[in-house]
């Protein structure tokens, strides 16, 4: 038979009707097509999918493993295929991965009698990194398999919870008799019978959960298990103890049974190698480690070592490298070592490609289906989302059998019965030209007369809504190439798919709600983790445990659900859930109104934030051990701002909701479909904020006093009723030695001045105090010949100080005059703040270099965070007021930004959180703690000039002395918001501006 012309040959899973070339989804780099099929004899390869269906692929023996893998991914229309792989049992009875580089003929000795399994190969730490619903569905199927075979071990509660999510996705909402019958007929875990009642209890709590949500929750539980994604490789240590080795995204793990006993992070591993039966791990030198330089493990054979070494190489490359490693040059004479390398995209490349493809706009060409199409299962999910949005109680068909709803009734079936039904007669996937596929006598010719069919993905191209050619139900992992009505896509449909992300200002306001809610839920998790950390300690009073638990657990549970709703709404708005629906889903006011009304029953919890602060302060004063526990917790990376700030977050979050709704109402015309809900939600939240505003101001002041007390030594009775904090910052004090830098603290009754002691605690040592009652203040620049100088004349002494600028002097003098007036007209606190009040002269006689600070009330100096706002003001020689702090907490913001340094070429994508006058940088929003932070006090924020050659839109520049950073946002709205909140931290806040920011929005 003559070879067909290579030009129109399909290189993927079949030619699409009317298309001059195939444009199926590939796991290759963007813009590349799958490699061409090499000539030669073809062989049929059997692949078992994750739903236990089997597919046959016709492929050249000379083709590489990559060609077959791309064909499988194209067949499923899978974009994130790089997380998966094809494994098989080789001639040595070992399970190995199909090598993408080697020809298939060199890997499969008997291809016709070998079944390859399509499985998950790389397990990311967080399923939120999986951007496609189809990918998460496949991961859920993998978890289901691992549970069933006992590979994913866990306690009974976790097993029951995971099974409840699986059956929720398969049979829908809980109905007792149906659920029990289903569990009796289908086994999801070994020894399932004793857990049926617990599974049913969990299932009853999943009412209204869509299959996609069930997958998400299943993966959420699974990823926290120790055995998640673990594939054990038997080994022994040098003493002959039986162990198992495994590899994960973090590094190489060591297990004894199913218990992890050791882990070697990639950052600590210098080299992995094997020599005969010995697997060697060479570690980087570490003086604090008790391990040897090289660890040795004995495996069953050299081949076992090589198999494990290969998967370690691939895991390291996939999760740690930015791009695929380049092949080594072939040696001229001799070869040494293995030439094996990781082939494929890294996780970073996969994520970047999927995100970029969302923005890709491909022009429509008549007769060519260029965009990715929905699989039946994904179409079914979309229908379920729409149904559940209208009626949450509506039952749903199983996603694994999208076409079971027929003949007027619903047919529900478990995966076991479906696998038995389909395993016997797999369909064959041909790499043939359409004309050849439809030739007389072809095995793929239609058995139904009168209906001409071309072959696409091994199916009849115009009969994809029915059964497959052999009468069986099509595999749910196979994607049809037509739309839901089995017709060609229209221009309108293609236009909808191209415009993936809206540009309406309301969308970006809603996205700000989403990004800040993600940060808020993470902050609530910090408090709940603190509760767990101190809850088991006997030093923690029961009253404190119950107060924190009753306050924050309900809030965390509520906002977790609220965040999920916002994520789903934004997914529909953006079209990422294949919904592509306009109108009803392009709004957010209804979601806010519903949840703000649901938050009203928790108003008691919101009003108890002050109780938590007071209870915690009382308990820490009574117990030195609890105080040490709190201090240790604050030093953890996850506690990136003081713990008391997290405790007040719920009150601040209400203010954020109010601001977001004010922007929505200002943007919407009165006739907009979302205006009424947004206005009603604004009225609700404004009422709550107004009720809590007075308490919030007092609590912010109390929290700031507690924070300052940790920064000061030599001070007693700082936190007393009636004392209000006004301003802190650097001033230069004039003495006999000249001007010396001092840190000043202004309260409504007293001024303290301190200096930073050269101690391990980085705290500030008290030098003196000036009572405000009866004080006068005057400018004295001409008197002393010192720029920006002014004199404080107290009853017992006078102090001459100088500010760093005229603006700083004006702020200090304004606030001090106001504080003097407050001290004169009110009966504030009058207690002495010094533990031992030294004479001013003796204090000033100390040298800045040999100054030593006295210890605290504890026996030894306690560890102390040295990056608080007091330290930033000391280093930047500036000041902040209580009004600045209030504005800062009200102007919190989160989101993705691209960052560029002054002398760098590329842009780095980071998740950025603005709070407490600082930018905190994360790799992604799933991270638990920031990689770095940038305090903004002293910085200026501007737009780059043309001479800086930053030819990008929406870029702002942060500049302090020689430090320059560029940040790039995604839209005009986000650019304006970042500029607004950063200016609140970098520009001096006058009282008028602070008061104007609190003006209510008219309803």
């Amino acid at each position: 038979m003559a070879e067909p012309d290579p030009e129109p040959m399909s290189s993927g899973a079949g030619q699409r009707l009317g298309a001059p070339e195939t444009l199926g989804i590939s796991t290759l780099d963007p813009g590349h097509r799958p490699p061409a099929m090499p000539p030669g004899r073809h062989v049929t390869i059997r692949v078992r999918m994750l739903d236990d269906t089997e597919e046959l692929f016709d492929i050249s023996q000379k083709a590489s493993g990559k060609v077959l893998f791309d064909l499988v991914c194209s067949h499923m229309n899978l974009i994130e295929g790089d997380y998966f792989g094809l494994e098989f049992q080789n001639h040595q009875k070992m399970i190995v991965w199909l090598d993408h580089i080697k020809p298939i003929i060199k890997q499969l000795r008997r291809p016709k009698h070998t079944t390859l399994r399509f499985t998950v190969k790389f397990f990311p730490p967080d399923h939120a990194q999986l951007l496609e619903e189809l990918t998460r569905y496949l991961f859920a199927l993998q978890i289901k398999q691992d549970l069933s075979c006992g590979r994913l071990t866990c306690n009974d509660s976790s097993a029951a919870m995971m099974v409840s999510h699986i059956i929720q996705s398969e049979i829908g909402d809980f109905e007792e008799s149906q659920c029990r019958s289903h569990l009796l007929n289908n086994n999801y875990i070994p020894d399932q019978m004793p857990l049926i009642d617990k599974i049913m209890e969990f299932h009853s709590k999943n009412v209204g959960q869509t299959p996609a949500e069930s997958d998400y929750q299943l993966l959420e539980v699974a990823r926290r298990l120790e055995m998640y994604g673990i594939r054990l490789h038997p080994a022994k240590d040098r003493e002959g103890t039986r162990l198992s080795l495994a590899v994960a995204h973090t590094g190489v793990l060591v297990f004894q049974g199913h218990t992890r006993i050791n882990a070697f992070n990639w950052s600590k591993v210098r080299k992995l190698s094997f020599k005969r039966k010995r697997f060697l791990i060479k570690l980087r030198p570490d003086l604090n480690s008790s391990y040897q330089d090289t660890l040795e493990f004995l495996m069953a054979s050299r081949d076992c070592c090589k198999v494990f070494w290969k998967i370690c190489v691939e895991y390291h490359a996939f999760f740690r490298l930015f791009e695929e490693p380049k092949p080594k040059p072939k040696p001229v004479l001799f070869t040494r070592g293995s030439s094996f390398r990781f082939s494929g995209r890294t996780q970073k490349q996969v994520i970047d490609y999927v995100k970029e493809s969302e923005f890709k706009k491909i022009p429509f060409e008549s007769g060519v289906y260029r965009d990715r199409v929905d699989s039946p299962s994904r179409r079914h999910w979309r229908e379920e989302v729409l149904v559940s949005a209208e009626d949450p109680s509506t039952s749903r068909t199983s996603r694994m059998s999208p076409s079971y709803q027929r003949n007027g009734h619903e047919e529900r079936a478990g995966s076991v019965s479906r696998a038995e039904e389909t395993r016997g007669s797999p369909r064959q996937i041909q790499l043939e030209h359409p004309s050849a596929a439809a030739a007389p006598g072809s095995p793929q010719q239609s058995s139904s007369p009168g209906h001409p069919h071309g072959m696409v993905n091994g199916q009849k191209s115009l009969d994809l809504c029915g059964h497959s050619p052999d009468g069986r139900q099509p595999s749910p992992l196979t994607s049809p190439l037509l739309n839901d009505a089995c017709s060609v896509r229209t221009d309108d449909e293609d236009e909808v798919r191209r415009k993936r992300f809206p540009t309406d200002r309301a969308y970006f306001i809603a996205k700000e709600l989403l990004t800040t809610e993600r940060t808020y839920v993470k902050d609530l998790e910090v408090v709940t983790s603190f509760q767990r950390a101190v809850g088991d300690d006997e030093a923690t009073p029961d009253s404190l445990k119950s107060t924190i638990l009753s306050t924050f657990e309900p809030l965390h549970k509520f906002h977790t659900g609220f965040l999920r709703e916002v994520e789903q709404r934004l997914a529909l708005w953006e079209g990422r859930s294949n919904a592509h629906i306009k109108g009803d889903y392009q709004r957010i006011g209804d979601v806010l109104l519903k949840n703000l009304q649901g938050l009203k029953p928790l108003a008691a919890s919101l009003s108890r934030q002050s109780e938590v602060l007071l209870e915690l302060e009382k308990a820490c004063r009574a117990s030195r051990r609890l105080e040490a526990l709190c201090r240790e917790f604050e030093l953890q990376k996850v506690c990136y701002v003081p713990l008391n700030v997290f405790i007040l977050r719920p009150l601040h979050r209400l203010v954020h909701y109010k601001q977001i709704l004010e922007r929505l109402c200002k943007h919407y015309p009165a006739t907009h479909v979302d205006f009424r809900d947004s206005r009603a939600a604004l009225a609700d939240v404004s009422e709550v904020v107004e009720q809590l505003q007075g308490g919030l101001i007092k609590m912010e002041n109390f929290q700031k006093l507690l924070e300052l007390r940790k920064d000061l030594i030599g001070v007693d009775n700082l936190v007393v009723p009636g004392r209000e904090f006004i301003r802190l910052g650097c001033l230069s004090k004039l003495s006999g030695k000249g001007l010396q830098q001092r840190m000043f603290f202004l309260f409504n009754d007293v001024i303290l001045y301190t200096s930073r002691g050269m101690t391990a605690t980085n705290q500030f040592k008290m030098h003196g105090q000036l009572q405000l009652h009866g004080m006068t203040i005057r400018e004295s620049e001409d008197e002393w010949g010192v720029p920006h100088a002014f004199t404080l004349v107290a009853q017992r002494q006078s102090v001459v100080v100088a500010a760093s600028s005229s603006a700083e002097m004006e702020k200090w003098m304004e606030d001090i005059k106001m504080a003097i007036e407050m001290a004169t007209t009110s009966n504030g606190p009058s207690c002495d703040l010094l533990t031992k009040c030294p004479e001013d002269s003796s204090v000033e006689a100390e040298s800045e270099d040999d100054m030593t600070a006295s210890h605290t009330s504890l026996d030894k100096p306690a560890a102390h965070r040295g990056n608080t706002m007091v330290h930033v003001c000391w280093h930047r020689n500036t000041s902040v007021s209580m009004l600045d702090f209030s504005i800062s907490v009200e102007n919190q913001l989160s989101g993705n930004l691209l960052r560029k340094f002054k002398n760098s070429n590329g842009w780095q994508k980071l998740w950025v959180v603005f709070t407490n006058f600082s930018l905190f940088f994360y790799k992604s929003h799933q991270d638990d703690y920031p990689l770095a932070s940038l305090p903004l006090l002293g910085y200026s924020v501007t737009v780059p000039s043309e001479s800086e050659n930053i030819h990008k839109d929406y870029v702002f520049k942060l500049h302090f002395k020689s430090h320059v950073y560029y940040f790039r946002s995604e839209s005009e709205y986000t650019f304006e918001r970042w500029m607004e909140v950063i200016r609140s931290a970098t520009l001096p806040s006058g009282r008028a501006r602070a008061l104007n920011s609190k003006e209510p929005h008219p309803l």
Side-chain angles (χ1 to χ4, degrees):
M1 186 178 70
E3 292 287 340
D5 185 39
E7 285 300 321
M9 274 288 288
S10 169
S11 57
Q15 184 74 14
R16 297 182 177 182
L17 278 179
E21 57 181 8
T22 187
L23 290 163
I25 298 303
S26 168
T27 56
L28 297 175
D29 289 337
H32 289 199
R33 289 179 293 172
M37 184 67 63
R41 181 182 173 187
H42 279 220
V43 65
T44 300
I45 304 293
R46 183 188 301 265
V47 178
R48 181 169 297 168
M49 315 304 280
L50 279 165
D51 62 348
D52 281 337
T53 60
E54 292 185 354
E55 306 289 350
L56 297 182
F57 295 86
D58 191 58
I59 195 168
S60 170
Q61 281 187 339
K62 295 182 180 180
S64 66
K66 179 68 172 173
V67 175
L68 174 60
F69 183 72
D70 280 347
L71 184 58
V72 175
C73 292
S74 296
H75 174 60
M76 289 187 294
N77 214 12
L78 178 63
I79 290 182
E80 296 173 298
D82 302 80
Y83 289 100
F84 303 86
L86 295 171
E87 63 178 10
F88 64 97
Q89 189 178 56
N90 64 9
H91 64 283
Q92 296 172 320
K93 306 299 182 183
M94 297 174 58
I95 301 298
V96 297
W97 293 101
L98 185 71
D99 194 316
H100 285 190
I101 299 178
K102 290 183 178 179
I104 291 176
I105 194 173
K106 290 187 178 182
Q107 302 185 65
L108 306 179
R109 286 195 172 184
R110 304 175 66 192
K112 293 183 178 180
H113 301 88
T114 302
T115 299
L116 285 79
R117 294 190 64 94
F118 180 83
T119 62
V120 177
K121 187 175 185 179
F122 301 110
F123 289 82
D126 190 351
H127 57 282
Q129 295 174 345
L130 307 174
L131 305 181
E132 289 280 306
E133 288 180 16
L134 177 58
T135 313
R136 291 193 290 271
Y137 170 50
L138 295 175
F139 266 75
L141 291 179
Q142 183 69 65
I143 297 302
K144 181 180 172 183
Q145 284 188 6
D146 291 351
L147 271 176
S148 178
C149 69
R151 180 186 283 169
L152 182 59
T153 57
C154 58
N155 58 41
D156 290 348
S157 179
S158 297
M161 186 176 296
M162 286 190 286
V163 173
S164 73
H165 291 304
I166 293 173
I167 61 176
Q168 172 72 21
S169 69
E170 292 186 355
I171 67 175
D173 287 342
F174 176 76
E175 198 280 314
E176 185 173 358
S177 59
Q178 180 195 29
C179 180
R180 187 176 296 276
S181 173
H182 186 78
L183 288 171
L184 291 174
N185 293 327
N186 298 276
N187 285 323
Y188 295 99
I189 52 176
D191 197 20
Q192 180 174 287
M193 289 300 295
L195 295 179
I196 285 184
D197 290 338
K198 183 173 285 190
I199 294 171
M200 294 176 64
E201 178 186 350
F202 283 128
H203 186 201
S204 65
K205 299 177 182 179
N206 297 337
V207 174
Q209 195 169 274
T210 66
E213 292 172 339
S214 298
D215 286 346
Y216 192 91
Q217 295 303 323
L218 170 65
L219 297 176
E220 178 67 25
V221 178
R223 76 180 181 93
R224 300 179 186 275
L225 301 177
E226 191 166 62
M227 294 301 293
Y228 168 68
I230 295 300
R231 303 295 182 256
L232 299 177
H233 297 254
K236 294 180 182 179
D237 62 10
R238 287 183 174 179
E239 286 74 32
T241 306
R242 292 183 180 273
L243 303 170
S244 295
L245 299 180
V247 63
H249 69 282
T250 55
V252 181
L253 312 178
V254 183
F255 285 81
Q256 196 161 34
H258 287 86
T259 303
R260 190 175 74 178
I261 61 174
N262 215 333
F264 302 101
N265 195 284
W266 294 125
S267 60
K268 297 179 181 179
V269 176
R270 187 163 68 91
K271 183 180 181 181
L272 294 175
S273 61
F274 64 94
K275 187 175 183 180
R276 297 185 179 89
K277 295 183 180 182
R278 293 178 298 150
F279 185 80
L280 307 174
I281 303 176
K282 183 168 288 189
L283 302 176
R284 299 184 185 278
D286 187 355
L287 298 178
N288 300 320
S289 175
S290 59
Y291 293 116
Q292 305 171 21
D293 177 57
T294 302
L295 299 175
E296 183 178 305
F297 297 91
L298 190 66
M299 305 189 82
S301 65
R302 179 185 182 277
D303 290 330
C304 291
C305 279
K306 188 170 185 178
V307 167
F308 183 61
W309 175 79
K310 281 185 174 181
I311 188 62
C312 287
V313 170
E314 292 183 309
Y315 251 85
H316 176 268
F318 184 76
F319 287 108
R320 296 279 290 184
L321 301 185
F322 288 145
E323 58 185 20
E324 177 184 354
K326 296 179 180 179
K328 298 179 181 178
K330 293 184 178 181
V332 179
L333 296 176
F334 304 104
T335 60
R336 183 178 179 182
S338 174
S339 61
F340 175 79
R341 66 179 177 87
F342 171 71
S343 174
R345 294 182 299 192
T346 64
Q347 186 190 32
K348 182 181 184 301
Q349 289 177 310
V350 175
I351 293 175
D352 291 345
Y353 170 62
V354 175
K355 289 181 178 178
E356 289 171 6
S357 65
E358 296 288 347
F359 294 96
K360 205 171 284 184
K361 296 184 178 181
I362 303 175
F364 180 83
E365 295 180 16
S366 178
V368 180
Y369 308 101
R370 285 188 174 269
D371 51 339
R372 181 166 157 259
V373 292
D374 302 337
S375 67
S377 58
R378 295 177 66 117
R379 257 200 342 264
H380 189 65
W381 296 348
R382 182 179 68 188
E383 294 162 2
E384 287 169 342
V385 170
L386 296 178
V387 171
S388 61
E390 297 169 2
D391 183 5
S393 63
T394 306
S395 60
R396 298 172 299 278
T397 58
S398 170
R399 178 180 24 172
M400 295 188 66
S401 301
S403 300
Y404 273 11
Q405 188 172 357
R406 56 183 184 271
N407 299 329
H409 69 281
E410 265 190 355
E411 185 177 332
R412 301 185 188 273
S415 60
V416 176
S417 60
R418 281 191 297 276
E420 293 172 353
E421 175 189 355
T422 59
R423 192 172 293 163
S425 53
R427 283 173 288 123
Q428 185 163 353
I429 310 303
Q430 296 287 338
L431 282 176
E432 300 289 346
H433 191 268
S435 59
S442 169
Q444 287 76 34
Q445 192 175 7
S446 171
S447 59
S448 303
H451 295 281
H453 300 291
M455 288 305 300
V456 183
N457 278 356
Q459 303 180 41
K460 294 179 286 185
S461 60
L462 295 180
D463 194 21
L464 294 174
C465 294
H467 296 86
S468 56
D470 55 7
R472 295 181 298 103
Q473 176 68 26
S475 168
L477 301 185
T478 305
S479 302
L481 298 179
L482 304 177
N483 63 8
D484 296 352
C486 292
S487 59
V488 178
R489 292 190 182 276
T490 64
D491 286 350
D492 291 340
E493 289 176 309
D494 195 68
E495 182 70 15
V496 169
R497 296 189 67 85
R498 288 206 307 268
K499 294 182 178 178
R500 301 292 294 179
F501 288 93
T503 56
D504 182 36
R505 188 178 183 87
Y507 162 75
F508 291 108
I509 296 175
K511 192 168 184 180
E512 180 184 339
L513 172 67
L514 170 64
T515 56
T516 52
E517 190 70 15
R518 282 174 172 165
T519 300
Y520 175 55
V521 171
K522 283 284 187 183
D523 289 348
L524 290 178
E525 289 174 0
V526 173
V527 183
T528 55
S529 63
F530 168 72
Q531 189 270 332
R532 290 191 296 269
V534 302
D536 297 333
D537 198 281
E538 59 183 12
T540 307
D542 293 336
S543 59
L544 177 61
K545 296 178 186 177
S546 61
T547 302
I548 297 179
L549 185 65
S550 62
T551 302
F552 285 93
E553 285 292 341
L555 287 172
H556 180 257
K557 182 178 180 181
F558 173 84
H559 285 281
T560 301
F562 178 37
L563 174 60
R564 187 162 55 245
E565 285 190 45
V566 176
E567 287 177 334
Q568 292 169 357
R569 175 57 58 88
L570 265 292
L572 291 171
W573 201 332
E574 296 169 352
R576 285 188 287 111
S577 293
N578 287 332
H580 312 300
I581 301 167
K582 290 186 177 180
D584 287 344
Y585 288 100
Q586 293 194 341
R587 56 176 179 165
I588 198 65
D590 58 328
V591 177
L592 276 164
L593 177 61
K594 170 194 167 187
N595 283 276
L596 287 174
Q597 291 176 345
L599 192 61
K600 286 184 177 180
L602 299 176
S605 298
L606 292 170
S607 61
R608 281 201 297 267
Q609 313 301 316
S610 58
E611 296 179 22
V612 176
L613 272 183
L614 293 169
E615 196 75 37
L616 182 59
E617 162 64 9
K618 178 181 176 182
C620 286
R621 279 191 281 109
S623 171
R624 185 181 298 180
R625 174 170 174 78
L626 180 60
E627 183 183 7
L629 287 174
C630 294
R631 190 165 51 242
E632 290 174 5
F633 182 83
E634 280 197 322
L635 291 174
Q636 296 181 16
K637 291 181 180 179
V638 69
C639 196
Y640 62 97
V641 293
L643 177 62
N644 291 335
V645 175
F646 289 109
I647 293 176
L648 292 183
R649 280 285 197 254
L651 297 177
H652 297 145
R653 188 58 181 157
L654 291 174
V655 179
H656 302 157
Y657 292 147
K658 181 172 178 282
Q659 293 173 343
I660 288 172
L661 283 164
E662 286 173 349
R663 284 192 287 273
L664 268 179
C665 291
K666 184 177 180 180
H667 168 68
Y668 284 143
T671 56
H672 194 279
V673 65
D674 202 26
F675 179 76
R676 178 175 295 182
D677 287 340
S678 300
R679 188 174 61 175
L682 177 57
D684 287 345
V685 74
S686 298
E687 179 183 354
V688 178
V689 169
E690 186 176 354
Q691 294 172 357
L692 300 174
Q693 187 67 36
L696 174 60
I697 295 174
K698 293 179 181 178
M699 283 302 101
E700 285 179 346
N701 180 72
F702 181 56
Q703 179 267 323
K704 185 54 61 179
L705 291 176
L706 293 175
E707 184 181 338
L708 292 178
R709 189 175 67 179
K710 297 176 184 178
D711 287 312
L712 296 171
I713 54 175
V715 177
D716 280 347
N717 302 319
L718 181 65
V719 184
V720 293
R723 175 162 289 130
E724 296 179 16
F725 165 69
I726 298 176
R727 180 174 291 277
L728 66 85
C730 269
L731 292 172
S732 296
K733 183 175 178 294
L734 186 63
S735 67
K737 290 188 174 184
L739 292 172
Q740 292 185 316
Q741 185 179 2
R742 294 287 178 261
M743 179 64 70
F744 279 71
F745 298 85
L746 173 63
F747 302 93
N748 64 333
D749 63 320
V750 67
I751 296 177
L752 309 182
Y753 53 98
T754 67
S755 64
R756 185 176 178 180
M758 306 301 290
T759 65
T761 61
N762 290 318
Q763 291 171 287
F764 287 82
K765 179 185 176 181
M766 181 74 154
H767 279 243
Q769 60 177 324
L770 301 171
Q771 293 293 334
L772 291 179
H773 190 76
M775 178 183 285
T776 59
I777 181 173
R778 67 175 187 270
E779 291 189 32
S780 50
E781 182 173 341
D782 297 334
E783 181 181 352
W784 295 99
V786 178
H788 321 306
F790 56 95
T791 303
L792 304 174
V793 182
Q795 292 180 348
R796 289 184 289 182
Q797 67 183 100
S798 298
V799 175
V800 180
V801 294
S804 60
S805 65
S806 59
E808 279 289 305
M809 183 184 73
E810 290 175 6
K811 288 189 290 184
W812 273 108
M813 292 189 66
E814 179 185 358
D815 283 348
I816 292 174
K817 288 177 181 177
M818 180 197 68
I820 292 173
E821 185 178 349
M822 292 171 62
T824 305
T825 57
S826 63
N827 296 321
S830 59
C831 56
D832 197 346
L833 292 176
L834 289 176
T835 54
K836 181 181 178 182
C837 186
E839 293 296 328
D840 190 61
S841 59
S842 63
V843 173
E844 293 303 325
E846 292 180 343
S847 168
E848 196 71 38
D849 297 328
D850 61 5
M851 205 178 301
T852 57
S854 61
H855 286 221
T856 63
S857 59
L858 299 178
D859 296 333
K860 60 181 180 179
H864 184 75
R865 188 186 293 272
N867 60 347
T868 62
M869 198 50 54
V870 181
H871 294 84
V872 175
C873 288
W874 175 265
H875 289 294
R876 303 273 171 86
N877 196 19
T878 187
S879 68
V880 291
S881 68
M882 189 63 207
L883 280 173
D884 294 324
F885 280 105
S886 298
I887 294 171
S888 176
V889 295
E890 291 179 9
N891 282 290
Q892 295 179 27
L893 193 60
S894 308
N896 285 311
L897 286 175
L898 297 176
R899 183 185 66 180
K900 180 183 179 299
F901 296 108
K902 181 179 180 181
N903 297 319
S904 65
N905 294 323
W907 294 84
Q908 181 186 13
K909 187 174 183 180
L910 295 169
W911 176 261
V912 185
V913 175
F914 170 80
T915 185
N916 275 41
F917 301 98
S918 298
L919 295 178
F920 295 91
F921 302 105
Y922 301 75
K923 186 177 180 182
S924 70
H925 69 84
Q926 293 97 353
D927 292 356
D928 292 327
Y929 56 85
L931 302 172
S933 63
L934 178 65
L936 296 179
L937 288 178
Y939 270 81
S940 60
V941 56
T942 58
V943 177
S945 62
E946 291 186 7
S947 61
E948 293 173 273
N949 294 323
I950 304 295
H951 304 298
K952 301 289 183 181
D953 294 330
Y954 315 128
V955 176
F956 59 90
K957 170 187 173 183
L958 286 175
H959 178 256
F960 175 73
K961 296 184 177 178
S962 62
H963 303 285
V964 176
Y965 304 95
Y966 300 100
F967 293 92
R968 189 168 140 212
S969 56
E970 64 176 340
S971 68
E972 183 180 2
Y973 172 80
T974 52
F975 169 78
E976 292 172 355
R977 287 290 294 133
W978 280 108
M979 290 285 284
E980 177 184 349
V981 298
I982 291 175
R983 278 175 176 158
S984 71
T986 57
L987 295 180
S989 61
R991 296 191 177 280
R993 185 173 68 89
L995 293 174
N996 289 338
S997 67
K998 300 179 182 291
E999 290 181 358
H1001 186 276
L1003 299 181

